[in-house]
Amino acid sequence: MRFIALDTPKPLSKIGLGTWQFGSREWGYGREFEQQAARIVRRAVELGVTVFDSAEIYGFGRSERILGAALGDDRPKVVIASKILPVLPVAAVVQQRAVASAARLGVTSIDLYQVHSPNPLVADHTTMRGMRVLQDVGLVGEVGVSNYGLRRWQVAEAALGRRVLSNQVRYSMLDRAPEQDLLPYAREAGRVVIAYSPLAQGFLSGRYDAKNPPSGAVRRANPYFLPENLERGAVLIDTVRQVADAHDATPSQIALAYLLRHPNVLAIPGASGVEQMERNAAAADIDLADDEYAALVEAAKRFRPVTGLAAMPAMVRARFAGPTGK
């Protein structure tokens, strides 16, 4: 496992584990998945993964409980991250919700406590006032944000009066906007970009195509998985496969290695099984050659998916057609 070269109380592994799926029915998992989740977490620890990301909204608290129980005695050794849903994120509410998350996780201190997304009606100064108190009393170690643009990230840090260590954003070969400003800032300022959906919810795994679309509700709601987009993405996936073959790796591992090439990026893919966790962790050790990286960048730039309003008619048809498309 490789780690981000930053001065943090605990090392930040380049690959973490995202736990949205733990206890979340929208991913098709439920109570029966709890034992599997525990095995995934235990194997991640064995492989040197130190960052485990959850949120109070994931499974309405079940994800935090499952994660905390699975880590057990290893909780003090790893970086446990969670997020507050920013519904009225004023100082007092931030403090109350952190206490509740810590209780579910079974910890006395949350290593990284993040604002899940910016609230357009509540200024960051009141949210960060609550975060500062949490740090002062030791209930929170580092503060982070999620889905913030660069300017608001900087405003949040000014309001906190201390570093806001991380910004968790959607980042993959399909979603490359963070490369424009967030990544350069993170490198210059000694901050971290945490990449969620680093495989574009599995689009980059090569498992799906127009004849074999995903069946889960979450992926069916993602316009990337429209048949037209799966067809358009065939060239990109082919390029990823070629690079993967050169490294005796999987397409997913190459998609992760693309992100991890940036020194201050930490990716948090989910895992539905132990073997997937093992493959994700192994991606941290893949070194892409300059020409391979350039080929991936060019292929990603050429991919032009149908998204936004243009995708809505097809999304509606897909929604009512069901998983078989009929």
Side-chain angles (χ1 to χ4, degrees):
M1 180 56 63
R2 293 178 176 175
F3 300 88
I4 293 180
L6 279 182
D7 180 19
T8 52
K10 300 175 187 178
L12 302 173
S13 55
K14 292 281 284 179
I15 288 286
L17 176 64
T19 65
W20 179 10
Q21 70 274 32
F22 288 8
S24 297
R25 290 185 177 86
E26 59 264 39
W27 279 104
Y29 307 130
R31 287 189 175 274
E32 69 281 358
F33 185 71
E34 292 188 19
Q35 292 183 345
Q36 176 76 318
R39 288 191 289 269
I40 293 168
V41 170
R42 300 306 315 154
R43 185 58 177 146
V45 172
E46 293 171 355
L47 293 167
V49 172
T50 63
V51 180
F52 296 82
D53 181 79
S54 187
E56 63 177 6
I57 193 61
Y58 295 167
F60 299 101
R62 288 190 297 271
S63 171
E64 291 176 320
R65 292 191 183 94
I66 293 169
L67 175 60
L71 284 169
D73 292 341
D74 285 320
R75 282 174 289 197
K77 304 174 186 177
V78 302
V79 177
I80 298 179
S82 195
K83 297 182 285 293
I84 176 175
L85 189 68
V87 177
L88 193 63
V90 296
V93 172
V94 171
Q95 295 166 43
Q96 292 166 1
R97 305 270 277 281
V99 170
S101 280
R104 287 190 292 266
L105 289 162
V107 299
T108 57
S109 178
I110 302 172
D111 298 293
L112 175 63
Y113 197 43
Q114 307 153 96
V115 183
H116 209 140
S117 62
N119 186 311
L121 302 178
V122 179
D124 286 298
H125 70 84
T126 182
T127 302
M128 291 301 153
R129 186 166 67 249
M131 289 288 195
R132 189 163 57 248
V133 170
L134 290 169
Q135 284 186 308
D136 289 344
V137 300
L139 188 62
V140 164
E142 300 281 356
V143 172
V145 293
S146 182
N147 299 303
Y148 274 49
L150 176 57
R151 175 59 181 158
R152 187 148 184 183
W153 185 4
Q154 294 170 324
V155 167
E157 184 161 274
L160 183 65
R162 301 161 185 171
R163 72 177 178 185
V164 172
L165 177 66
S166 61
N167 191 356
Q168 185 177 144
V169 294
R170 184 184 300 274
Y171 178 36
S172 72
M173 290 177 63
L174 303 191
D175 300 285
R176 300 184 308 283
E179 295 176 355
Q180 301 301 313
D181 54 1
L182 297 183
L183 267 60
Y185 172 72
R187 186 166 188 174
E188 293 166 7
R191 303 293 184 263
V192 180
V193 170
I194 301 177
Y196 73 80
S197 292
L199 302 177
Q201 294 188 346
F203 184 99
L204 294 165
S205 70
R207 293 173 54 197
Y208 307 110
D209 56 38
K211 295 181 180 179
N212 181 37
S215 58
V218 174
R219 292 187 176 94
R220 289 205 314 273
N222 186 333
Y224 283 144
F225 292 101
L226 289 172
E228 181 177 354
N229 286 335
L230 288 167
E231 289 178 2
R232 292 186 181 194
V235 174
L236 170 58
I237 298 302
D238 185 59
T239 302
V240 175
R241 283 200 178 102
Q242 291 176 30
V243 176
D245 289 344
H247 289 267
D248 193 23
T250 66
S252 294
Q253 288 175 316
I254 297 304
L256 290 171
Y258 170 95
L259 304 182
L260 302 186
R261 202 170 192 264
H262 299 280
N264 288 59
V265 170
L266 185 168
I268 51 168
S272 59
V274 170
E275 290 184 0
Q276 186 178 10
M277 182 67 253
E278 292 171 339
R279 291 192 297 271
N280 290 345
D285 296 319
I286 296 175
D287 290 312
L288 297 176
D290 290 344
D291 61 335
E292 292 173 331
Y293 181 75
L296 293 171
V297 170
E298 184 58 32
K301 287 180 178 178
R302 290 200 303 268
F303 176 50
R304 296 282 194 274
V306 179
T307 59
L309 292 176
M312 287 305 296
M315 291 296 297
V316 171
R317 289 196 299 272
R319 180 70 173 173
F320 287 98
T324 63
K326 297 179 181 179

